[in-house]
Amino acid sequence: MADPRPDSSSRTRAARPAGEGAAFSPLYRQIKELLVQSLERGEWKPGELIPSEIDLAARFQVSQGTVRKAVDELAAEHLLLRRQGKGTFVATHHEARVRYRFLRLAPDEDSEGGRAESRILECRRLRAPAEIARALELRVGETVVMIRRQLSMNHRPTVIDDIWLPGSVFRGLTLELLTANKAPLYGLFETEFGVSMVRADEKLRAVAAPAEVAGLLGVAAGTPMLQVDRVSYTYGDRPVEVRRGLYLTDRYHYRNSLN
């Protein structure tokens, strides 16, 4: 089995002071990149404890403070989770505080509650349309898995999601598997296919409900809706999901925090 640790040349590059050679990023950013590479290789699985800052400092031949700063950034980006008195763990979509950071819909009234119930309406394999292929960095015509899902908030149909995934990555993803799944969708992707969604880019716009979607949500065609177009990425900024969500917002709003 190959040694999962960075090779000696990687450790040398990481330990080289910023400004030498071609590496101009701060030292802690170089350590952060090495940690992300370890996550991408699966050296530490979702939910697992990573080595202590002291051990990582020895491994990369840098100070503990440098490692701490790298880990702090990864924790702020939700790739790692710190647990007081227990250590630092790889984030998993099976944990609530990670699971719901990708669901931004919140009730206007606290009494409404925000628990989502998912129902898979469709799952099929097809050739990627040009727009989807471009977003997923595939060739036009490559196979994608297309999922249509209905989300109900407080037992009321509220969201229709159309989701496209690379077929080569999600071999074996079927309607039967999705219907039987009780975990969050991203949790299923993580457990069954080894794909962790670590960040997403989104675009929002106001639209009128198409007749087909309106029928699924029990509203009139042309009802005002919020359209959310998302591209989700795994480690290494590799796109692995395109999603278009149509949201009813008469009782809910799309919430975001800007830092």
Side-chain angles (χ1 to χ4, degrees), residues 3-230:
D3 187 346
R5 296 173 300 174
D7 60 27
S8 58
S9 61
S10 296
R11 293 198 298 272
T12 301
R13 285 195 300 272
R16 182 183 298 139
E20 282 191 19
F24 294 103
S25 62
L27 185 54
Y28 79 90
R29 286 281 173 86
Q30 298 175 48
I31 300 303
K32 176 184 174 185
E33 178 60 28
L34 292 176
L35 292 172
V36 170
Q37 290 173 14
S38 291
L39 293 170
E40 187 173 6
R41 286 196 305 268
E43 181 178 348
W44 310 306
K45 304 294 184 186
E48 286 186 355
L49 178 71
I50 71 168
S52 69
E53 291 175 0
I54 293 174
D55 289 340
L56 289 172
R59 168 175 171 167
F60 296 130
Q61 301 174 21
V62 296
S63 72
Q64 188 177 345
T66 297
V67 169
R68 182 176 300 117
K69 196 166 183 180
V71 171
D72 283 345
E73 281 209 354
L74 292 173
E77 294 169 9
H78 303 284
L79 273 67
L80 298 176
L81 293 174
R82 291 190 184 278
R83 292 180 183 154
Q84 188 67 34
K86 294 183 178 179
T88 302
F89 295 76
V90 181
T92 170
H93 288 284
H94 291 280
E95 184 156 345
R97 56 177 157 161
V98 175
R99 178 189 316 172
Y100 292 114
R101 77 184 179 94
F102 286 93
L103 179 60
R104 310 304 300 172
L105 204 63
D108 291 337
E109 304 291 337
D110 291 340
S111 59
E112 284 284 334
R115 184 172 179 80
E117 299 170 347
S118 176
R119 178 186 169 209
I120 303 299
L121 304 177
E122 182 180 355
C123 176
R124 58 194 173 98
R125 301 178 77 85
L126 49 87
R127 295 189 182 278
E131 179 185 4
I132 302 302
R134 185 165 53 251
L136 290 174
E137 299 179 1
L138 303 175
R139 293 188 300 273
V140 175
E142 281 195 63
T143 301
V144 292
V145 179
M146 184 272 179
I147 301 167
R148 171 164 282 187
R149 178 178 73 161
Q150 179 190 79
L151 284 179
S152 295
M153 308 294 287
N154 204 27
H155 307 295
R156 180 184 181 227
T158 305
V159 182
I160 296 296
D161 277 328
D162 286 336
I163 300 166
W164 293 268
L165 307 162
S168 60
V169 177
F170 289 88
R171 289 189 178 95
L173 183 59
T174 63
L175 180 61
E176 291 74 21
L177 179 61
L178 289 165
T179 302
N181 174 56
K182 303 303 180 185
L185 192 57
Y186 282 178
L188 174 71
F189 295 166
E190 179 183 280
T191 301
E192 296 293 330
F193 301 95
V195 176
S196 294
M197 306 294 184
V198 299
R199 75 172 189 87
D201 289 333
E202 292 187 333
K203 297 178 181 178
L204 283 69
R205 69 184 67 193
V207 298
E212 182 183 9
V213 170
L216 292 172
L217 295 177
V219 297
T223 296
M225 303 191 75
L226 180 67
Q227 177 177 302
V228 181
D229 291 310
R230 173 191 297 178

